[in-house]
Amino acid sequence: MTTIPTIRVQADRFDLQMEIDALTAGRQDIGAVVSFTGLCRDEGGSLEALELEHYPGMAEAEMRRIGLEAIERFSLLGLTAIHRYGKIAPGDTIVLVVACAPHRQAAFDGANFVMDFLKTAAPFWKKEHLADGSTGFWVSAKDADDAARDKWR
Amino acid sequence: MMVKLVYFAWVRERIDKPEEEIELPDSVVTARDLLNYLKTLGEGYEAALQYPEVIRVAVNQEHIDHDEPIAGAREIGIFPPMTGG
């Protein structure tokens, strides 16, 4: 049976348990579920929110391409990737990846792979809004993220 | 060639518009040609595309390299390196 990734780009929060249940309900072949949740992080109390901008249409399409590649490469039995957009306060969630496989290694690797490519290839951008009311900078892309992606080649 | 250009993040802010329809001269063949052409259209474009090598280009919502042709594009996205996740 071909696994179809569940891909969503949304302003609303997501519910981790609901997403896991949706992938595992009624199945007995899944032995491992790995989830990754990315949160908005503040360093030193200066951040009011991150504003997530995305390229509508391409964001979903790119996440789907990444998801399909992960399913194929790690023989995943289920995969969900959700990315939020809009203003997100420190401590709130930004991204969720859930990967299901018969065994844990493929589930860990699948979730890791999806995150590494999601960060470097899915068209999302973060802008800082600062606690003093000013608009801060666009977050810079990190070489470390490119390096993390390149390890899969 | 007539194409729709869509801009995101600081590229959008510096060009000061989210999208536009534009007629491209025949000399524009690759993504690199496109960025170099746009740079000549005014101050905002110049500020946005000052370092074209860091800019990402997507044709019909798929990433392409700078040396790839843009022929057949209906929509071309132009944006900085991505910082989602």
Side-chain angles (χ1 to χ4, degrees):
Chain A
M1 199 179 77
T2 317
T3 303
I4 309 287
T6 298
I7 303 296
R8 293 209 305 276
V9 175
Q10 63 188 41
D12 295 339
R13 290 195 175 91
F14 43 76
D15 180 329
L16 171 60
Q17 193 57 52
M18 220 172 78
E19 300 303 335
I20 292 175
D21 290 348
L23 289 172
T24 58
R27 300 190 64 145
Q28 298 180 331
D29 52 345
I30 292 171
V33 178
V34 167
S35 76
F36 171 85
T37 305
L39 308 183
C40 174
R41 174 174 44 87
D42 182 17
E43 282 167 3
S46 61
L47 188 73
E48 185 210 42
L50 283 178
E51 187 171 358
L52 270 291
E53 177 171 335
H54 72 294
Y55 184 167
M58 181 172 171
E60 292 86 344
E62 192 62 29
M63 287 169 71
R64 189 162 289 112
R65 284 190 278 271
I66 296 165
L68 285 168
E69 198 180 332
I71 286 166
E72 160 97 26
R73 186 161 173 164
F74 303 103
S75 302
L76 301 180
L77 298 177
L79 179 70
T80 293
I82 301 172
H83 204 301
R84 295 179 64 198
Y85 64 87
K87 261 190 171 182
I88 295 179
D92 205 352
T93 55
I94 295 176
V95 63
L96 174 70
V97 172
V98 183
C100 305
H103 303 285
R104 73 179 184 282
Q105 203 59 56
F108 275 121
D109 287 349
N112 199 10
F113 176 94
V114 168
M115 275 311 302
D116 282 343
F117 280 86
L118 211 148
K119 286 196 85 85
T120 51
F124 291 89
W125 302 270
K126 294 188 182 110
K127 187 179 198 173
E128 297 174 330
H129 289 262
L130 302 180
D132 66 9
S134 66
T135 301
F137 295 99
W138 287 95
V139 172
S140 298
K142 294 189 187 75
D143 290 342
D145 289 334
D146 287 340
R149 173 201 62 202
D150 291 345
K151 73 173 179 279
W152 299 104
R153 293 207 166 131
Chain B
M1 179 171 93
M2 199 72 187
V3 285
K4 179 182 174 187
L5 302 180
V6 290
Y7 307 122
F8 294 95
W10 51 258
V11 170
R12 171 180 54 72
E13 287 184 344
R14 291 177 192 176
I15 292 176
D16 204 21
K17 53 184 120 178
E19 59 178 73
E20 62 186 323
E21 298 269 344
I22 198 167
E23 174 73 31
L24 296 176
D26 292 341
S27 58
V28 173
V29 176
T30 64
R32 184 176 294 109
D33 296 339
L34 172 66
L35 296 177
N36 287 328
Y37 170 72
L38 291 174
K39 251 173 89 170
T40 67
L41 297 185
E43 256 177 54
Y45 293 90
E46 208 182 315
L49 308 173
Q50 189 182 1
Y51 302 104
E53 60 279 4
V54 307
I55 301 295
R56 308 300 168 94
V57 178
V59 165
N60 302 336
Q61 307 196 343
E62 279 196 58
H63 293 293
I64 65 163
D65 290 329
H66 283 190
D67 53 9
E68 287 186 71
I70 57 166
R74 297 178 304 277
E75 177 177 296
I76 302 181
I78 299 175
F79 43 80
M82 290 141 284
T83 55

